[in-house]
Coordinates of all heavy atoms in Angstrom, one line a residue:
M1 N 30.6 3.6 -51.3 CA 30.1 2.3 -51.1 C 29.2 1.9 -52.3 O 28.2 2.6 -52.8 CB 29.1 2.3 -49.9 CG 28.9 1.1 -49.2 SD 28.1 1.1 -47.5 CE 26.6 1.7 -47.8
E2 N 29.7 0.8 -53.0 CA 29.1 0.4 -54.2 C 28.5 -1.0 -54.0 O 29.0 -1.8 -53.4 CB 30.3 0.3 -55.3 CG 30.9 1.6 -55.7 CD 29.9 2.6 -56.4 OE1 28.8 2.2 -57.0 OE2 30.0 3.8 -56.3
F3 N 27.4 -1.1 -54.8 CA 26.6 -2.4 -54.7 C 27.5 -3.6 -55.1 O 27.6 -4.6 -54.3 CB 25.5 -2.2 -55.6 CG 24.5 -3.5 -55.6 CD1 23.7 -3.7 -54.6 CD2 24.7 -4.5 -56.4 CE1 22.9 -4.9 -54.4 CE2 24.0 -5.7 -56.4 CZ 23.1 -5.9 -55.3
E4 N 28.2 -3.3 -56.1 CA 29.0 -4.5 -56.7 C 30.1 -4.9 -55.7 O 30.5 -6.0 -55.7 CB 29.6 -4.1 -58.1 CG 28.6 -3.9 -59.2 CD 27.7 -5.2 -59.3 OE1 28.3 -6.3 -59.3 OE2 26.6 -5.1 -59.8
D5 N 30.6 -3.9 -54.9 CA 31.6 -4.3 -54.0 C 31.0 -5.0 -52.8 O 31.6 -6.0 -52.2 CB 32.4 -3.0 -53.6 CG 33.0 -2.3 -54.6 OD1 33.5 -3.1 -55.6 OD2 33.3 -1.2 -54.6
M6 N 29.8 -4.5 -52.3 CA 29.3 -5.1 -51.0 C 28.6 -6.5 -51.3 O 28.7 -7.4 -50.5 CB 28.3 -4.1 -50.5 CG 28.9 -3.4 -49.3 SD 27.4 -2.4 -48.6 CE 27.1 -3.3 -47.2
F7 N 27.8 -6.5 -52.4 CA 27.0 -7.8 -52.8 C 27.6 -8.4 -54.0 O 26.8 -8.2 -55.1 CB 25.6 -7.4 -52.6 CG 25.2 -6.7 -51.4 CD1 24.7 -5.4 -51.4 CD2 25.1 -7.4 -50.2 CE1 24.4 -4.8 -50.3 CE2 24.7 -6.9 -49.0 CZ 24.4 -5.6 -49.1
K8 N 28.7 -9.1 -54.1 CA 29.1 -9.7 -55.2 C 28.3 -11.0 -55.5 O 28.2 -11.4 -56.7 CB 30.5 -10.1 -55.0 CG 31.5 -8.9 -55.1 CD 33.1 -9.5 -55.2 CE 34.0 -8.3 -55.4 NZ 34.1 -7.6 -54.1
T9 N 28.0 -11.6 -54.5 CA 27.3 -13.0 -54.7 C 26.0 -13.0 -53.8 O 25.8 -12.2 -53.0 CB 28.1 -14.2 -54.2 OG1 28.4 -14.0 -52.8 CG2 29.5 -14.1 -55.0
E10 N 25.3 -14.1 -54.1 CA 24.0 -14.3 -53.3 C 24.5 -14.6 -51.8 O 23.5 -14.1 -51.0 CB 23.3 -15.6 -53.9 CG 22.0 -15.9 -53.2 CD 20.9 -15.0 -53.5 OE1 21.1 -14.1 -54.3 OE2 19.6 -15.2 -53.1
Q11 N 25.6 -15.2 -51.6 CA 26.0 -15.4 -50.3 C 26.3 -14.1 -49.5 O 25.9 -14.0 -48.3 CB 27.1 -16.4 -50.2 CG 27.6 -16.9 -48.8 CD 26.5 -17.7 -48.1 OE1 25.8 -18.5 -48.6 NE2 26.2 -17.3 -46.9
D12 N 26.7 -13.2 -50.2 CA 26.9 -11.8 -49.6 C 25.5 -11.2 -49.0 O 25.6 -10.7 -48.0 CB 27.6 -10.8 -50.6 CG 29.1 -11.3 -50.9 OD1 29.6 -12.0 -50.0 OD2 29.5 -10.9 -51.9
C13 N 24.5 -11.4 -49.8 CA 23.3 -10.9 -49.6 C 22.7 -11.7 -48.3 O 22.2 -11.0 -47.2 CB 22.2 -11.1 -50.5 SG 22.9 -10.1 -52.1
I14 N 22.9 -13.0 -48.2 CA 22.3 -13.7 -47.1 C 23.3 -13.4 -45.8 O 22.6 -13.2 -44.8 CB 22.7 -15.4 -47.3 CG1 21.7 -15.7 -48.5 CG2 22.3 -16.2 -46.2 CD1 21.9 -17.1 -49.2
D15 N 24.5 -13.3 -45.9 CA 25.4 -12.9 -44.9 C 25.0 -11.6 -44.3 O 24.9 -11.4 -43.0 CB 26.8 -12.8 -45.3 CG 27.5 -14.2 -45.5 OD1 26.8 -15.2 -45.1 OD2 28.6 -14.3 -46.0
Y16 N 24.6 -10.6 -45.2 CA 24.3 -9.2 -44.7 C 22.9 -9.4 -44.0 O 22.9 -8.7 -42.9 CB 24.2 -8.3 -45.9 CG 23.8 -7.0 -45.6 CD1 24.6 -5.9 -45.0 CD2 22.3 -6.5 -45.7 CE1 24.3 -4.8 -44.7 CE2 22.0 -5.3 -45.6 CZ 22.9 -4.4 -45.0 OH 22.4 -3.1 -44.5
L17 N 22.0 -10.0 -44.5 CA 20.6 -10.1 -44.0 C 20.8 -10.8 -42.5 O 20.2 -10.5 -41.6 CB 19.8 -11.0 -44.8 CG 18.3 -10.8 -44.9 CD1 18.0 -9.3 -45.0 CD2 17.6 -11.6 -46.0
T18 N 21.6 -11.9 -42.4 CA 22.0 -12.7 -41.2 C 22.5 -11.6 -40.2 O 22.1 -11.6 -39.0 CB 22.8 -13.8 -41.5 OG1 22.3 -14.7 -42.4 CG2 23.0 -14.6 -40.1
S19 N 23.4 -10.7 -40.6 CA 24.2 -9.9 -39.7 C 23.3 -8.8 -39.1 O 23.4 -8.3 -37.9 CB 25.4 -9.4 -40.3 OG 25.2 -8.3 -41.2
I20 N 22.2 -8.4 -39.9 CA 21.4 -7.3 -39.4 C 20.2 -8.0 -38.6 O 19.6 -7.4 -37.8 CB 20.9 -6.4 -40.4 CG1 20.2 -7.1 -41.6 CG2 22.0 -5.4 -40.8 CD1 19.7 -6.0 -42.5
R21 N 19.9 -9.3 -39.0 CA 18.8 -10.0 -38.2 C 19.1 -10.4 -36.9 O 18.5 -10.3 -35.9 CB 18.4 -11.1 -39.1 CG 17.4 -12.0 -38.4 CD 16.2 -12.1 -39.4 NE 15.1 -12.6 -38.7 CZ 14.0 -13.2 -39.2 NH1 14.2 -13.5 -40.4 NH2 13.0 -13.3 -38.5
W22 N 20.4 -11.0 -36.8 CA 21.1 -11.5 -35.6 C 22.4 -10.7 -35.4 O 23.4 -11.6 -35.6 CB 21.2 -13.0 -35.6 CG 19.7 -13.8 -35.8 CD1 18.8 -13.5 -34.9 CD2 19.4 -14.7 -36.8 NE1 17.7 -14.3 -35.2 CE2 18.1 -15.2 -36.4 CE3 20.0 -15.2 -37.8 CZ2 17.4 -16.0 -37.1 CZ3 19.3 -16.1 -38.6 CH2 18.0 -16.6 -38.3
P23 N 22.4 -9.6 -35.0 CA 23.7 -9.0 -34.8 C 24.7 -9.7 -33.9 O 25.9 -9.7 -34.0 CB 23.4 -7.6 -34.5 CG 21.9 -7.6 -34.3 CD 21.4 -8.8 -34.7
Q24 N 24.1 -10.3 -32.8 CA 24.8 -11.0 -31.7 C 24.9 -12.5 -32.1 O 25.3 -13.2 -31.3 CB 24.0 -10.8 -30.5 CG 24.6 -9.8 -29.4 CD 24.5 -8.4 -30.0 OE1 25.6 -7.9 -30.6 NE2 23.3 -7.6 -30.0
G25 N 24.5 -12.8 -33.3 CA 24.5 -14.2 -33.6 C 23.1 -14.7 -33.5 O 22.2 -14.1 -33.0
F26 N 22.8 -16.0 -34.0 CA 21.5 -16.6 -34.0 C 20.9 -16.5 -32.7 O 21.4 -16.8 -31.6 CB 21.6 -18.1 -34.4 CG 20.3 -18.9 -34.4 CD1 19.5 -18.8 -35.5 CD2 20.1 -19.6 -33.2 CE1 18.3 -19.4 -35.4 CE2 18.9 -20.3 -33.2 CZ 18.0 -20.3 -34.2
E27 N 19.6 -16.4 -32.7 CA 18.7 -16.4 -31.6 C 17.4 -17.1 -32.0 O 16.7 -16.7 -32.8 CB 18.5 -15.1 -30.9 CG 18.0 -15.2 -29.5 CD 17.7 -13.7 -29.0 OE1 18.3 -12.7 -29.1 OE2 16.6 -13.7 -28.3
C28 N 17.1 -18.1 -31.2 CA 15.8 -18.9 -31.6 C 14.6 -18.0 -31.3 O 14.3 -17.6 -30.2 CB 15.7 -20.2 -30.8 SG 14.2 -21.1 -31.2
P29 N 13.7 -17.9 -32.2 CA 12.5 -17.1 -32.0 C 11.6 -17.8 -31.1 O 10.6 -17.1 -30.6 CB 11.9 -17.0 -33.4 CG 12.4 -18.1 -34.1 CD 13.8 -18.3 -33.6
T30 N 11.6 -19.0 -31.0 CA 10.8 -19.9 -29.9 C 11.2 -19.9 -28.6 O 10.5 -19.6 -27.6 CB 10.6 -21.2 -30.5 OG1 10.1 -21.2 -31.9 CG2 9.5 -22.0 -29.7
C31 N 12.4 -20.4 -28.3 CA 12.9 -20.5 -27.0 C 14.1 -19.5 -26.6 O 14.5 -19.6 -25.4 CB 13.4 -22.0 -26.8 SG 14.8 -22.4 -27.5
G32 N 14.6 -18.8 -27.5 CA 15.6 -17.8 -27.2 C 17.1 -18.4 -27.2 O 18.0 -17.6 -26.8
S33 N 17.2 -19.7 -27.5 CA 18.4 -20.2 -27.5 C 19.3 -19.7 -28.6 O 18.9 -19.3 -29.6 CB 18.3 -21.8 -27.7 OG 19.5 -22.4 -27.9
V34 N 20.5 -19.6 -28.2 CA 21.6 -19.1 -29.2 C 22.3 -20.3 -29.9 O 23.2 -20.1 -30.7 CB 22.5 -18.1 -28.5 CG1 21.8 -16.9 -28.0 CG2 23.3 -18.9 -27.5
R35 N 21.9 -21.6 -29.6 CA 22.5 -22.6 -30.1 C 21.7 -23.1 -31.4 O 20.6 -23.5 -31.2 CB 22.8 -23.8 -29.2 CG 23.4 -23.4 -27.8 CD 23.8 -24.4 -27.1 NE 22.7 -25.2 -26.6 CZ 22.8 -26.6 -26.3 NH1 24.0 -27.2 -26.2 NH2 21.7 -27.2 -25.9
S36 N 22.4 -23.2 -32.4 CA 21.8 -23.6 -33.8 C 22.9 -24.3 -34.6 O 24.1 -24.2 -34.4 CB 21.3 -22.3 -34.5 OG 22.4 -21.7 -34.9
W37 N 22.3 -24.9 -35.5 CA 23.2 -25.4 -36.6 C 22.5 -25.0 -37.9 O 21.2 -24.9 -38.1 CB 23.5 -26.9 -36.5 CG 22.3 -27.8 -36.7 CD1 21.4 -28.1 -35.8 CD2 22.1 -28.7 -37.9 NE1 20.6 -29.1 -36.2 CE2 20.8 -29.4 -37.5 CE3 22.6 -28.8 -39.0 CZ2 20.3 -30.4 -38.4 CZ3 22.0 -29.8 -40.0 CH2 21.0 -30.5 -39.6
E38 N 23.5 -24.8 -39.0 CA 23.0 -24.3 -40.2 C 22.7 -25.4 -41.1 O 23.4 -26.2 -41.5 CB 24.2 -23.5 -40.7 CG 23.7 -22.4 -41.7 CD 24.9 -21.4 -42.0 OE1 25.8 -21.3 -41.2 OE2 25.0 -21.0 -43.1
K39 N 21.3 -25.6 -41.4 CA 20.9 -26.7 -42.2 C 21.1 -26.5 -43.8 O 21.5 -27.5 -44.4 CB 19.3 -26.9 -42.1 CG 19.0 -27.4 -40.6 CD 17.5 -27.9 -40.7 CE 17.4 -29.3 -41.1 NZ 16.1 -29.8 -41.0
S40 N 21.0 -25.2 -44.1 CA 21.4 -24.8 -45.4 C 21.8 -23.5 -45.3 O 21.9 -22.9 -44.3 CB 20.2 -25.0 -46.5 OG 19.3 -23.9 -46.2
K41 N 22.1 -22.8 -46.4 CA 22.5 -21.4 -46.4 C 21.6 -20.4 -45.8 O 22.1 -19.6 -45.1 CB 22.9 -21.0 -47.8 CG 24.1 -21.7 -48.4 CD 24.5 -21.1 -49.7 CE 25.9 -21.8 -50.1 NZ 26.3 -21.5 -51.7
K42 N 20.4 -20.6 -46.0 CA 19.5 -19.6 -45.3 C 18.7 -20.3 -44.1 O 18.0 -19.5 -43.5 CB 18.4 -19.3 -46.4 CG 18.9 -18.1 -47.3 CD 17.9 -17.6 -48.1 CE 17.6 -18.3 -49.4 NZ 16.9 -17.9 -50.4
R43 N 18.9 -21.5 -43.8 CA 18.0 -22.2 -42.9 C 18.8 -22.7 -41.6 O 19.8 -23.2 -41.8 CB 17.4 -23.4 -43.5 CG 16.3 -24.0 -42.8 CD 15.6 -25.0 -43.6 NE 14.8 -24.5 -44.7 CZ 13.6 -24.2 -44.4 NH1 12.8 -24.2 -43.5 NH2 13.0 -23.6 -45.5
F44 N 18.3 -22.3 -40.4 CA 19.0 -22.6 -39.1 C 18.0 -23.5 -38.4 O 16.7 -23.2 -38.3 CB 19.4 -21.4 -38.4 CG 20.4 -20.4 -39.1 CD1 19.9 -19.5 -40.0 CD2 21.6 -20.6 -38.7 CE1 21.0 -18.8 -40.7 CE2 22.6 -19.9 -39.3 CZ 22.3 -18.9 -40.3
E45 N 18.4 -24.3 -37.7 CA 17.8 -25.2 -36.7 C 18.2 -25.0 -35.3 O 19.4 -25.1 -35.0 CB 17.7 -26.7 -37.1 CG 16.6 -27.4 -36.1 CD 16.6 -28.9 -36.5 OE1 16.5 -29.2 -37.7 OE2 16.6 -29.7 -35.5
C46 N 17.3 -24.7 -34.4 CA 17.6 -24.6 -32.9 C 17.9 -25.9 -32.4 O 17.3 -26.9 -32.6 CB 16.4 -24.0 -32.3 SG 16.7 -23.8 -30.4
I47 N 19.1 -26.0 -31.7 CA 19.5 -27.2 -31.2 C 18.6 -27.7 -30.1 O 18.5 -28.8 -29.9 CB 21.0 -27.2 -30.7 CG1 22.0 -27.1 -32.0 CG2 21.5 -28.3 -29.9 CD1 23.4 -26.9 -31.8
D48 N 18.2 -26.7 -29.4 CA 17.3 -27.0 -28.0 C 15.8 -27.4 -28.4 O 15.4 -28.3 -27.8 CB 17.3 -25.8 -27.1 CG 18.8 -25.6 -26.6 OD1 19.3 -26.6 -25.9 OD2 19.5 -24.6 -26.8
C49 N 15.2 -26.6 -29.2 CA 13.8 -26.9 -29.5 C 13.5 -27.3 -30.8 O 12.4 -27.7 -31.3 CB 12.9 -25.8 -28.9 SG 12.9 -24.3 -30.2
H50 N 14.4 -27.4 -31.7 CA 14.4 -27.8 -33.2 C 13.5 -26.9 -34.0 O 12.9 -27.4 -34.9 CB 14.0 -29.4 -33.2 CG 14.8 -30.2 -32.3 ND1 16.1 -30.5 -32.7 CD2 14.7 -30.8 -31.3 CE1 16.7 -31.3 -31.9 NE2 15.8 -31.5 -30.9
T51 N 13.2 -25.7 -33.6 CA 12.5 -24.8 -34.5 C 13.4 -24.4 -35.7 O 14.6 -24.2 -35.5 CB 12.1 -23.5 -33.8 OG1 11.3 -23.8 -32.7 CG2 11.5 -22.6 -34.7
E52 N 12.9 -24.5 -36.8 CA 13.6 -24.1 -38.0 C 13.3 -22.7 -38.3 O 12.1 -22.3 -38.4 CB 13.2 -25.0 -39.2 CG 14.1 -26.2 -39.2 CD 13.8 -27.1 -40.6 OE1 13.6 -26.5 -41.6 OE2 13.9 -28.3 -40.6
T53 N 14.3 -21.9 -38.7 CA 14.1 -20.5 -39.0 C 14.9 -20.2 -40.2 O 16.0 -20.7 -40.2 CB 14.6 -19.6 -37.9 OG1 14.0 -20.0 -36.6 CG2 14.2 -18.1 -38.0
T54 N 14.3 -19.4 -41.1 CA 15.1 -19.0 -42.2 C 15.4 -17.6 -41.9 O 14.7 -16.7 -41.4 CB 14.4 -19.1 -43.5 OG1 13.2 -18.3 -43.6 CG2 14.1 -20.6 -43.9
V55 N 16.6 -17.2 -42.6 CA 17.0 -15.7 -42.4 C 16.0 -14.8 -43.0 O 15.9 -13.6 -42.7 CB 18.4 -15.5 -42.7 CG1 18.5 -15.6 -44.3 CG2 19.0 -14.3 -42.1
T56 N 15.2 -15.2 -43.9 CA 14.2 -14.3 -44.7 C 12.9 -14.4 -44.1 O 12.0 -13.7 -44.5 CB 14.3 -14.6 -46.1 OG1 13.9 -16.1 -46.3 CG2 15.5 -14.5 -46.9
A57 N 12.6 -15.3 -43.2 CA 11.3 -15.4 -42.6 C 10.9 -14.0 -42.0 O 11.5 -13.3 -41.3 CB 11.2 -16.4 -41.5
G58 N 9.6 -13.6 -42.4 CA 9.1 -12.4 -41.7 C 9.5 -11.1 -42.5 O 9.2 -10.0 -42.1
T59 N 10.4 -11.3 -43.4 CA 10.8 -10.2 -44.3 C 10.2 -10.2 -45.6 O 9.4 -11.1 -45.9 CB 12.4 -10.2 -44.5 OG1 12.7 -11.2 -45.4 CG2 13.1 -10.5 -43.3
I60 N 10.3 -9.1 -46.5 CA 9.7 -9.1 -47.7 C 10.2 -10.2 -48.6 O 9.7 -10.4 -49.7 CB 9.9 -7.7 -48.4 CG1 11.3 -7.3 -48.4 CG2 9.2 -6.5 -47.5 CD1 11.6 -6.0 -49.2
F61 N 11.3 -10.6 -48.3 CA 11.9 -11.8 -49.1 C 11.3 -13.1 -48.9 O 11.7 -14.0 -49.7 CB 13.4 -11.8 -49.0 CG 14.1 -10.5 -48.9 CD1 14.6 -10.1 -47.9 CD2 14.2 -9.7 -50.1 CE1 15.2 -8.8 -47.9 CE2 14.7 -8.5 -50.1 CZ 15.2 -8.0 -49.0
H62 N 10.5 -13.3 -47.9 CA 10.3 -14.7 -47.5 C 9.6 -15.6 -48.6 O 9.9 -16.7 -48.7 CB 9.2 -14.6 -46.2 CG 8.9 -15.9 -45.7 ND1 9.9 -16.9 -45.4 CD2 7.7 -16.3 -45.5 CE1 9.3 -17.9 -45.0 NE2 8.0 -17.7 -45.0
K63 N 8.6 -14.9 -49.3 CA 7.9 -15.8 -50.4 C 8.4 -15.7 -51.6 O 8.0 -16.2 -52.7 CB 6.4 -15.3 -50.3 CG 5.7 -15.6 -49.0 CD 4.6 -16.5 -49.0 CE 4.3 -17.2 -47.8 NZ 3.8 -16.4 -46.8
S64 N 9.5 -14.9 -51.8 CA 10.1 -14.6 -53.0 C 10.8 -15.8 -53.6 O 11.5 -16.6 -52.9 CB 11.1 -13.5 -53.0 OG 11.8 -13.4 -54.2
T65 N 10.8 -16.0 -54.9 CA 11.5 -17.0 -55.5 C 12.6 -16.4 -56.3 O 13.6 -17.2 -56.8 CB 10.7 -17.8 -56.5 OG1 10.1 -16.8 -57.4 CG2 9.6 -18.7 -55.8
K66 N 12.8 -15.0 -56.3 CA 13.9 -14.5 -57.0 C 15.1 -14.4 -56.0 O 14.9 -14.4 -54.9 CB 13.5 -13.0 -57.2 CG 12.6 -12.8 -58.4 CD 12.6 -11.3 -58.8 CE 11.8 -11.1 -60.1 NZ 10.5 -11.7 -60.0
P67 N 16.3 -14.4 -56.6 CA 17.5 -14.3 -55.7 C 17.5 -13.0 -54.9 O 17.0 -11.9 -55.4 CB 18.7 -14.3 -56.9 CG 18.0 -14.7 -58.2 CD 16.5 -14.5 -58.0
L68 N 18.0 -13.1 -53.7 CA 18.1 -11.9 -52.9 C 18.8 -10.8 -53.6 O 18.6 -9.7 -53.4 CB 18.7 -12.4 -51.7 CG 18.2 -13.0 -50.6 CD1 19.0 -13.4 -49.4 CD2 17.0 -12.2 -50.0
R69 N 19.9 -11.1 -54.5 CA 20.7 -10.2 -55.1 C 19.9 -9.2 -55.9 O 20.2 -8.1 -56.1 CB 21.7 -10.8 -55.8 CG 23.0 -10.2 -56.0 CD 24.3 -10.8 -56.2 NE 25.3 -9.9 -56.5 CZ 25.5 -9.3 -57.8 NH1 24.7 -9.6 -58.7 NH2 26.5 -8.5 -57.9
V70 N 18.8 -9.8 -56.6 CA 18.0 -9.0 -57.5 C 17.2 -8.0 -56.7 O 17.1 -6.9 -57.0 CB 17.0 -10.0 -58.3 CG1 16.0 -9.2 -59.0 CG2 17.7 -10.9 -59.2
W71 N 16.7 -8.5 -55.5 CA 16.0 -7.6 -54.7 C 17.0 -6.5 -54.1 O 16.5 -5.3 -54.0 CB 15.4 -8.4 -53.4 CG 14.3 -9.0 -53.7 CD1 14.2 -10.4 -54.1 CD2 12.9 -8.6 -53.8 NE1 12.9 -10.7 -54.2 CE2 12.1 -9.6 -54.2 CE3 12.3 -7.3 -53.8 CZ2 10.7 -9.7 -54.3 CZ3 11.1 -7.2 -53.9 CH2 10.2 -8.3 -54.3
F72 N 18.0 -6.9 -53.7 CA 19.1 -5.9 -53.1 C 19.4 -4.9 -54.1 O 19.5 -3.7 -53.7 CB 20.3 -6.8 -52.5 CG 20.2 -7.3 -51.2 CD1 19.0 -8.0 -50.8 CD2 21.1 -7.0 -50.3 CE1 18.9 -8.5 -49.5 CE2 21.1 -7.5 -48.9 CZ 20.0 -8.2 -48.6
Q73 N 19.5 -5.3 -55.2 CA 20.0 -4.3 -56.3 C 18.9 -3.4 -56.5 O 19.1 -2.0 -56.6 CB 20.3 -5.0 -57.6 CG 21.0 -4.2 -58.6 CD 22.1 -4.9 -59.3 OE1 21.9 -6.1 -59.7 NE2 23.1 -4.3 -59.8
A74 N 17.7 -3.8 -56.7 CA 16.5 -2.9 -56.8 C 16.3 -1.9 -55.5 O 16.1 -0.7 -55.6 CB 15.1 -3.8 -57.1
I75 N 16.6 -2.5 -54.5 CA 16.4 -1.8 -53.2 C 17.5 -0.6 -53.1 O 17.2 0.5 -52.7 CB 16.3 -2.7 -51.9 CG1 14.9 -3.4 -52.0 CG2 16.4 -1.8 -50.7 CD1 15.0 -4.7 -51.0
W76 N 18.7 -1.2 -53.3 CA 19.9 -0.2 -53.3 C 19.5 0.9 -54.3 O 19.8 2.1 -53.9 CB 21.1 -1.0 -53.8 CG 22.3 -0.3 -53.8 CD1 22.8 0.6 -54.7 CD2 23.3 -0.5 -52.8 NE1 24.0 1.0 -54.3 CE2 24.4 0.3 -53.1 CE3 23.4 -1.3 -51.5 CZ2 25.6 0.5 -52.4 CZ3 24.6 -1.1 -50.9 CH2 25.6 -0.2 -51.3
W77 N 19.1 0.7 -55.4 CA 18.8 1.8 -56.4 C 17.8 2.7 -55.6 O 17.9 4.0 -55.9 CB 18.3 1.1 -57.7 CG 18.2 2.3 -58.8 CD1 19.2 2.6 -59.5 CD2 17.1 3.0 -59.1 NE1 18.8 3.6 -60.3 CE2 17.5 3.9 -60.2 CE3 15.7 3.0 -58.7 CZ2 16.6 4.8 -60.8 CZ3 14.7 3.9 -59.3 CH2 15.3 4.8 -60.3
I78 N 16.7 2.3 -55.2 CA 15.7 3.0 -54.6 C 16.3 4.0 -53.5 O 16.0 5.1 -53.5 CB 14.4 2.3 -54.1 CG1 13.8 1.5 -55.2 CG2 13.5 3.1 -53.3 CD1 12.8 0.4 -54.8
V79 N 17.0 3.2 -52.7 CA 17.5 4.0 -51.5 C 18.4 5.1 -51.9 O 18.5 6.2 -51.5 CB 18.2 3.1 -50.6 CG1 18.9 3.8 -49.5 CG2 17.2 2.1 -49.9
A80 N 19.4 4.7 -53.0 CA 20.3 5.6 -53.4 C 19.6 6.9 -54.1 O 20.3 8.1 -54.0 CB 21.2 5.0 -54.4
Q81 N 18.5 6.7 -54.7 CA 17.9 7.9 -55.2 C 17.4 8.9 -54.2 O 17.5 10.2 -54.3 CB 16.5 7.5 -56.0 CG 16.8 6.5 -57.2 CD 17.9 7.1 -58.1 OE1 17.7 8.1 -58.7 NE2 19.0 6.3 -58.2
K82 N 16.9 8.4 -53.0 CA 16.4 9.2 -52.0 C 17.4 9.9 -51.2 O 17.3 11.2 -51.0 CB 15.5 8.4 -51.1 CG 14.2 8.2 -51.5 CD 13.3 7.6 -50.6 CE 11.7 7.6 -51.0 NZ 10.9 7.0 -49.9
N83 N 18.3 9.3 -50.6 CA 19.1 9.9 -49.7 C 20.6 9.4 -49.8 O 21.2 9.5 -48.7 CB 18.6 9.9 -48.2 CG 17.8 8.5 -48.0 OD1 18.0 7.7 -48.7 ND2 16.8 8.6 -47.2
G84 N 21.0 8.7 -50.7 CA 22.2 8.1 -50.7 C 22.3 6.8 -50.0 O 21.3 6.6 -49.1
V85 N 23.0 6.0 -50.3 CA 23.0 4.6 -49.6 C 23.7 4.7 -48.2 O 24.8 5.1 -48.1 CB 23.7 3.6 -50.5 CG1 23.7 2.1 -49.7 CG2 22.9 3.4 -51.8
S86 N 22.8 4.2 -47.3 CA 23.5 4.0 -46.0 C 23.0 2.6 -45.4 O 21.9 2.2 -45.8 CB 23.2 5.1 -45.0 OG 21.7 5.0 -44.7
A87 N 23.8 2.0 -44.6 CA 23.5 0.7 -44.0 C 22.1 0.8 -43.2 O 21.2 0.0 -43.3 CB 24.5 0.3 -43.0
K88 N 21.9 2.0 -42.7 CA 20.6 2.2 -41.9 C 19.4 2.3 -42.8 O 18.4 1.8 -42.6 CB 20.7 3.5 -41.1 CG 20.4 3.3 -39.6 CD 20.5 4.6 -38.9 CE 20.4 4.4 -37.4 NZ 20.5 5.7 -36.6
G89 N 19.7 3.1 -43.9 CA 18.5 3.3 -44.9 C 18.2 2.0 -45.5 O 17.0 1.6 -45.7
L90 N 19.2 1.1 -45.7 CA 19.0 -0.2 -46.4 C 18.1 -1.0 -45.5 O 17.2 -1.7 -45.9 CB 20.3 -0.7 -46.7 CG 20.4 -1.8 -47.9 CD1 19.9 -1.4 -49.0 CD2 21.8 -2.3 -47.9
M91 N 18.5 -1.0 -44.1 CA 17.7 -1.8 -43.1 C 16.2 -1.5 -43.1 O 15.5 -2.2 -43.1 CB 18.4 -1.6 -41.8 CG 19.4 -2.7 -41.5 SD 20.1 -2.1 -39.8 CE 18.9 -2.7 -38.7
K92 N 16.0 -0.2 -43.1 CA 14.7 0.4 -43.1 C 13.9 -0.1 -44.4 O 12.9 -0.6 -44.1 CB 14.8 2.0 -43.2 CG 13.8 2.6 -42.3 CD 14.0 4.1 -42.3 CE 12.7 4.8 -42.0 NZ 13.0 6.2 -42.1
V93 N 14.5 0.0 -45.6 CA 13.7 -0.5 -46.7 C 13.6 -2.0 -46.7 O 12.5 -2.5 -47.2 CB 14.5 0.0 -48.0 CG1 13.7 -0.5 -49.2 CG2 14.7 1.4 -48.0
L94 N 14.5 -2.6 -46.2 CA 14.2 -4.1 -46.1 C 13.2 -4.6 -45.2 O 12.9 -5.8 -45.0 CB 15.7 -4.8 -45.6 CG 16.9 -4.7 -46.6 CD1 18.1 -5.2 -46.0 CD2 16.6 -5.4 -47.9
G95 N 12.6 -3.7 -44.4 CA 11.5 -3.9 -43.5 C 11.9 -4.8 -42.2 O 11.2 -5.4 -41.7
L96 N 13.1 -4.5 -41.8 CA 13.7 -5.3 -40.7 C 13.4 -4.6 -39.4 O 13.7 -5.2 -38.3 CB 15.0 -5.6 -40.7 CG 15.4 -6.6 -41.9 CD1 16.9 -6.7 -42.3 CD2 14.9 -7.9 -41.7
G97 N 12.7 -3.4 -39.4 CA 12.3 -2.7 -38.2 C 11.1 -3.4 -37.5 O 11.0 -3.4 -36.3
S98 N 10.4 -4.2 -38.3 CA 9.3 -4.9 -37.7 C 9.0 -6.2 -38.2 O 8.1 -6.6 -38.9 CB 7.9 -3.9 -38.1 OG 7.9 -3.9 -39.5
I99 N 9.8 -7.0 -37.7 CA 9.9 -8.4 -38.1 C 8.8 -9.2 -37.4 O 8.6 -9.1 -36.2 CB 11.2 -9.1 -37.9 CG1 12.3 -8.6 -38.8 CG2 11.1 -10.7 -38.0 CD1 13.7 -9.0 -38.5
S100 N 8.0 -9.9 -38.1 CA 7.0 -10.8 -37.7 C 7.5 -12.3 -38.0 O 7.9 -12.5 -39.1 CB 5.6 -10.6 -38.2 OG 5.1 -11.9 -38.5
L101 N 7.4 -13.1 -37.0 CA 8.0 -14.4 -37.4 C 6.9 -15.5 -37.7 O 7.1 -16.8 -37.8 CB 8.8 -15.0 -36.2 CG 10.0 -14.2 -35.8 CD1 10.6 -14.4 -34.4 CD2 11.0 -14.3 -36.8
D102 N 5.7 -14.9 -38.1 CA 4.5 -15.9 -38.4 C 4.9 -16.7 -39.6 O 4.5 -17.9 -39.7 CB 3.2 -15.2 -38.4 CG 3.0 -14.5 -37.2 OD1 3.4 -14.9 -36.1 OD2 2.3 -13.4 -37.3
G103 N 5.4 -16.0 -40.7 CA 5.5 -16.7 -42.0 C 6.6 -17.7 -41.8 O 7.1 -18.3 -42.9
Ligands
LIG1 ZN1 14.6 -23.0 -29.8

């Protein structure tokens, strides 16, 4: 598994984050609805209650102005040093085990 193969573009990073955040597809943090529309690449709006959620909300990337890809590359390197890269290890470092939706 190589970084350059998995995350060629910023969109690849967004897709990856989306897939581990909502493995079953979008779920509204406010009302639990699964119906949404994609306002922009990272931003979803719930069709039922109009709550807007970004895929990075509550993660270490939320306030970042750097491209996700820069973060992913740094994190990838750190994970690789410790125990080799695995999807699970990556998830752990991304802080997705304890998401808070306050931000
Ligand atoms: Zn909702």
